[in-house]
Amino acid sequence: MPKIFNTIYIDEKPSKVLEITNDIENWPTLFEEYKKSIIIERLDTEQLSKLEFVLENNEGSSWKSYRFIDKNNLMCLSERVDPVYPFLYMYIKWIYKPAKNGTEMTWIQDFEMDPECPVPLEKGLDKMNSHTKINQERIKEYIEKK
């Protein structure tokens, strides 16, 4: 099972970083590759939020995902559900850990490429790892400028 693991320090408290990075309607601003984000359903409690949403990238592909946000434990779990291709599965975990006077934000992506996907695994890994680092830097700059 391939896994991508990236961490970045952000000079802001973890609860604020969690709030900003999980404002899915603002993802086209936070992430370079998203053109549109639409929340289909949102269920909130004091501790947890469950979101069903659709993302569209700049190439026009779109997919539906689920996201569970645990505000007390400062983490999120996501799953890409429809369409899953070019993956067989894609699970994402974001962790927001207090560090120094800010946040250590870690993203973990567990996935497997669909055997029908023409992109070799190593190329896919390199692209996703690169995009993750770029997006984490973008988010860091966005949050620290506020």
Side-chain angles (χ1 to χ4, degrees), residues 45-58:
T45 68
E46 190 172 313
Q47 178 182 346
L48 299 170
S49 293
K50 177 186 176 191
L51 304 171
E52 179 180 350
F53 60 98
V54 174
L55 293 174
E56 182 177 329
N57 65 19
N58 292 326

Side-chain angles (χ1 to χ4, degrees), residues 43-142:
L43 303 170
D44 290 307
T45 68
E46 190 172 313
Q47 178 182 346
L48 299 170
S49 293
K50 177 186 176 191
L51 304 171
E52 179 180 350
F53 60 98
V54 174
L55 293 174
E56 182 177 329
N57 65 19
N58 292 326
E59 289 81 38
S61 296
S62 63
W63 58 92
K64 181 168 70 172
S65 295
Y66 293 111
R67 187 169 196 81
F68 297 90
I69 304 165
D70 183 338
K71 299 167 203 153
N72 289 352
N73 292 306
L74 300 168
M75 74 166 60
C76 306
L77 301 172
S78 295
E79 178 181 5
R80 181 172 169 154
V81 292
D82 187 34
V84 178
Y85 186 85
F87 309 102
L88 291 176
Y89 60 86
M90 169 61 83
Y91 304 115
I92 299 171
K93 183 176 186 178
W94 290 1
I95 303 164
Y96 305 83
K97 182 179 171 185
K100 303 175 194 164
N101 292 318
T103 304
E104 183 180 274
M105 182 177 72
T106 300
W107 293 356
I108 303 164
Q109 295 167 275
D110 290 316
F111 64 95
E112 190 169 339
M113 300 297 290
D114 188 305
E116 301 296 318
C117 180
V119 177
L121 176 59
E122 286 305 313
K123 187 173 180 180
L125 277 168
D126 288 346
K127 182 177 179 179
M128 290 186 344
N129 196 39
S130 172
H131 275 270
T132 298
K133 290 175 182 178
I134 289 167
N135 284 317
Q136 284 184 328
E137 282 294 332
R138 247 177 101 104
I139 287 168
K140 175 183 173 70
E141 289 174 22
Y142 178 87

